[in-house]
């Protein structure tokens, strides 16, 4: 080989080496800046069993040690308590049992102790129950559980704490599933009262009978809480009046969205850092209808029924019958096998899932009489199976090795919506912001997950229960629209489950937001944020009582002005439609911004205080821990 050829070979090798090195460095930098979440069972020992859920996690520093604790509802069973021990959770003794819906946490009576207000269910209105309250002391001892006997009884739904009269004391809004002849009693306002806790003030404007979800929003930024009532049919905008009382202002505030159906959650988000809150709405079907779906690749068939007959003939199944995550509940949890109706023996409690395996010889034939309530499973020959029956309670499951697609019910398209606040009127900017989610969604959590100074959106899918679900993470491109993150790692594998409620919070106080969410007929999931960019800045502001001690932190508004952007955060703000968390630790990502011009907290009674921030990537406390 002559010198010229040798020179050319070496030159090509050097160019290739430089190219590969550059690519590797570039890829390494890209990987470091990607938002990746992971589950870690050493952080929290969540139960590895699928159960029914209700709403979002309730997040609050119950023992006031500086770390956020969790209340996680398993519907109709109990609420699990997890104490946060400096970033690692310890399971506590449960104290809320039975059919539980909305939960609100705060020191509503200003005695320095956290109160937990509970809205029990009421059997669809047939067994009306009253709101009750517990007290959690700083030593983690829990007392109370007494009902507010002077309250109206009902089938409870939402519990929301507001300071409607701006005196610093927390008042209470509740919603119930009303009797069809008493729709005017759906939403109720109670005022703080030192002797009784709360006094009845008035019944509030309402929408459809099934629109029992409540989302607190300050439409006109006058520091008084307004709200949206939503659910199956309508979205009703209710605004507090300076002269007292509340008024339906739907035609003014949301004229194009009054008749938007199936809105299950509303998140406040400032998409462009202009200082006002826009709205992100998720939507999914009502939780009572028949569902069925099939996955060709996995050969899995999912079904759900409630108060409807179950009938699936001629299911061709390879091998024996196996149903995963079979969920049935009181009062009809009975499984009958074959023509002789041999009853399957349940070994676990009724509130969670069961995996049922049945051999062909155990279930030969199918009975003519299936009038007794329960689920019937029979082998009818030639690899064909039949299931049927009737249960008053929800019944669902995923059958494996189904070789041919049964008849399925396709979910309707219910696109999520992003509404921009333009002078107090909300306008659809979903497509303009690059968001295209046609599938049904159950909840969302807003936060700056990469600390670049712009609010992102985690979207919890309703999902296809026949397969695992990859969730959606929308990244804010500096106020110019949203794009999907591909490798975020938030995937749930339990079959037979649909999305429920999601929240963002910094459980380990490391400066980035983590995500907790629940799947209905599934599990609770805590995903830790592993984002590790060192160039993006943040601050954490912990809000206490007002400087005078006459107002709690609930509803307090943090406003930060920095590098031409305005950032607002609200204590207690989540997408929960029924519960009210009390997360006083407000997270603000700042990106490359190095200096904060001003930071102010405004409490519900009008008191204000400035936060002096001289260093970033730190935690600050504003307000007082004392009350007067």
């Amino acid at each position: 080989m002559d010198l010229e050829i040798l020179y050319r070979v070496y030159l090509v090798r050097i160019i290739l080496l430089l190219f590969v090195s550059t690519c590797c460095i570039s890829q390494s930098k890209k990987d470091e800046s990607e938002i990746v979440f992971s589950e870690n069972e050493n952080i929290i020992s969540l139960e590895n069993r699928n159960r029914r859920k209700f709403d979002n996690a309730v997040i609050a520093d119950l023992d006031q040690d500086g770390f956020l604790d969790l209340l996680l509802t398993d519907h109709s069973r109990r609420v699990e308590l997890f104490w946060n021990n400096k970033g690692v959770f310890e399971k506590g003794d449960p104290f809320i049992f039975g059919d539980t819906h909305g939960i609100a946490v705060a020191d509503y009576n200003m005695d320095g102790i956290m109160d937990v207000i509970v809205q029990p269910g009421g059997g669809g209105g047939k067994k009306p129950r009253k709101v009750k309250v517990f007290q959690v002391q700083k030593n983690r001892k829990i007392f109370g559980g007494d009902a507010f006997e002077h309250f109206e009884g009902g089938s409870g739904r939402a519990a929301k704490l507001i300071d409607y009269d701006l005196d610093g004391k927390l008042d209470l809004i509740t919603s119930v599933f009303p009797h069809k002849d008493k729709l005017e009693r759906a939403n109720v306002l109670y005022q703080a009262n030192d002797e009784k806790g709360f006094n009845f003030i008035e019944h509030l404007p309402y929408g459809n009978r099934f629109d029992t979800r409540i989302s607190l929003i300050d439409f006109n930024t006058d520091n008084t809480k307004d709200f949206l009532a939503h659910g199956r049919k309508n979205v009703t905008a209710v605004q507090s009046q300076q002269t007292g009382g509340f008024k339906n202002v739907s035609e003014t505030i949301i004229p194009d969205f009054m008749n938007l159906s199936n809105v299950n959650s509303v998140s406040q988000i400032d998409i462009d850092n202009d200082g006002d809150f826009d709205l992100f709405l998720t939507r999914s079907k009502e939780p009572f209808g028949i569902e069925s779906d099939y996955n060709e690749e996995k050969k899995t068939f999912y079904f759900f029924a409630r108060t409807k007959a179950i009938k699936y003939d001629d299911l061709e199944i390879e091998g024996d019958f196996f149903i995963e995550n079979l969920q049935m509940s009181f009062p009809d949890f009975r499984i009958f096998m074959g023509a002789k109706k041999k009853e399957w023996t349940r070994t676990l409690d009724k509130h969670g899932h069961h995996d049922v395996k049945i051999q062909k010889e155990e279930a030969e034939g199918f009975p003519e009489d299936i009038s007794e309530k329960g689920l019937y499973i029979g082998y009818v020959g030639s690899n064909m199976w039949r299931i049927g029956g009737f249960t008053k309670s929800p019944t669902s499951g995923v059958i494996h090795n189904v070789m041919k697609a049964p008849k399925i019910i396709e979910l309707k398209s219910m696109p999520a919506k992003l509404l921009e606040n333009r002078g107090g009127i909300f306008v659809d900017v979903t497509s303009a912001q690059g968001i295209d989610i046609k599938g049904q969604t159950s909840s969302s959590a807003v936060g700056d997950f990469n600390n670049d100074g712009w609010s992102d959106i985690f979207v919890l899918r309703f999902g296809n229960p026949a397969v695992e679900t990859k969730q959606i993470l929308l990244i804010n491109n500096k106020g110019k629209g949203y794009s999907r993150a591909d490798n975020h790692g938030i995937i749930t594998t339990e079959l037979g489950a649909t999305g429920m409620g999601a929240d963002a919070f910094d459980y380990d106080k490391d400066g980035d937001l983590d995500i907790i969410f629940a799947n209905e007929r599934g599990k609770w999931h805590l995903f830790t944020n592993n984002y590790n960019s060192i160039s993006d800045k943040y601050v954490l502001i912990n809000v206490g009582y007002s400087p005078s001690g006459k107002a709690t932190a609930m509803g307090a508004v943090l406003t930060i002005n920095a590098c031409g952007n305005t950032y607002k955060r609200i204590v207690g703000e989540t997408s929960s439609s029924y519960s009210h968390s009390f997360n006083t630790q407000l997270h603000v990502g700042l990106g490359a911004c190095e200096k904060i011009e001003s930071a102010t907290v405004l409490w519900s009674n009008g008191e204000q205080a400035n936060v002096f921030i001289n260093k970033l990537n730190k935690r600050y406390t504003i307000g007082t821990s004392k009350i007067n």
Side-chain angles (χ1 to χ4, degrees), residues 128-366:
R129 299 165 68 191
K130 298 180 180 181
V131 175
K132 55 187 177 181
V133 62
F134 297 85
Q135 295 82 38
V136 183
Q137 295 187 336
K138 294 180 181 180
N139 60 5
R140 297 185 174 179
K141 291 184 178 180
I142 300 169
F143 299 92
D146 298 327
F148 291 115
E149 294 296 343
H150 57 293
F151 274 35
E152 295 181 6
S155 184
R157 291 297 187 265
K160 301 284 185 174
L161 290 164
I162 69 167
D163 180 6
Y164 96 97
D165 51 5
L166 309 182
D167 65 353
K169 297 180 179 180
L170 291 176
D171 312 300
L172 178 66
I173 289 178
T174 65
S175 74
V176 300
F177 178 61
H179 188 277
K180 61 182 179 180
D181 297 327
K182 298 179 180 179
L183 298 183
E184 72 280 357
R185 296 190 177 184
N187 303 322
V188 185
L189 173 66
Y190 295 93
Q191 186 180 38
N193 178 280
D194 292 337
E195 183 178 345
K196 295 183 177 181
F198 301 95
N199 272 349
F200 170 82
I201 297 298
E202 63 178 327
H203 292 105
L204 301 173
Y206 59 91
N208 183 272
R209 185 186 182 202
F210 293 90
D211 299 335
T212 58
R213 299 173 183 263
I214 300 291
S215 296
L216 299 178
I217 294 167
D218 182 3
F219 298 133
N220 52 1
T221 62
D222 64 352
N223 198 36
T224 59
K225 289 297 183 185
D226 316 305
F227 68 89
L228 294 177
H230 53 96
R232 182 187 295 185
K233 293 290 184 181
N234 307 317
V235 178
T236 303
V238 181
Q239 187 168 295
S240 61
Q241 304 298 295
Q242 293 292 337
T243 56
F246 289 79
K247 181 181 178 181
N248 186 336
V249 294
S250 304
E251 294 183 359
T252 302
I253 301 296
I254 49 171
D256 297 330
F257 303 97
M258 290 175 57
N259 298 318
L260 191 64
S261 64
N262 298 98
V263 175
N264 50 29
S265 81
V266 180
S267 287
Q268 293 195 91
I269 176 173
D270 187 354
I271 61 176
D272 49 9
N273 292 341
D274 65 351
D276 60 22
F277 283 110
D278 314 298
L279 304 177
F280 185 79
L281 281 58
T282 62
R283 303 169 63 214
S284 64
K285 64 180 288 298
E286 62 187 41
F288 306 116
I290 294 175
E291 302 171 20
S292 60
D293 218 323
Y294 179 75
N295 181 262
E296 178 69 33
E297 180 184 357
K298 301 293 184 181
K299 306 299 182 187
T300 49
F301 171 62
Y302 159 79
F303 71 93
F304 171 90
R306 177 178 179 175
T307 66
K308 301 288 185 182
I310 301 167
K311 185 179 181 182
Y312 296 105
D313 295 332
D314 301 327
L315 294 175
E316 183 180 347
I317 296 175
E318 186 177 90
D320 294 324
F321 184 93
F322 173 54
I323 184 168
E324 178 181 351
N325 193 10
L326 175 64
Q327 296 258 359
M328 303 171 71
S329 58
F330 180 85
D332 303 323
F333 199 131
R334 301 184 73 183
I335 303 170
F336 302 100
M337 301 181 295
K340 296 182 180 180
K341 296 192 284 190
K342 179 181 177 182
E343 191 163 352
W344 182 78
T345 302
R346 177 179 55 81
T347 57
L348 301 174
D349 69 79
K350 297 179 181 180
H351 293 286
H353 91 270
H354 294 74
D355 295 332
V356 179
K357 296 182 180 180
I358 301 175
Q359 296 180 341
K360 295 176 180 177
E361 54 269 25
E362 293 181 282
E364 291 184 351
F366 196 83

Side-chain angles (χ1 to χ4, degrees), residues 26-75:
S26 176
Q27 182 64 39
S28 175
K29 288 182 178 179
K30 179 184 178 185
D31 290 343
E32 286 180 3
S33 64
E34 283 185 335
I35 309 174
V36 179
F37 292 81
S38 62
E39 287 189 284
N40 187 344
E41 62 182 16
N42 294 323
I43 296 297
I44 186 168
S45 297
L46 294 166
E47 184 184 25
N48 189 29
R49 190 174 178 205
N50 301 319
R51 297 186 188 272
R52 295 172 60 203
K53 308 300 181 192
F54 198 92
D55 203 34
N56 299 33
V58 177
I59 302 168
D61 184 3
L62 295 170
D63 56 2
Q64 302 181 59
D65 67 348
F67 285 84
L68 295 167
D69 310 303
L70 296 170
L71 293 171
L72 309 180
T73 303
D74 285 336
H75 190 198

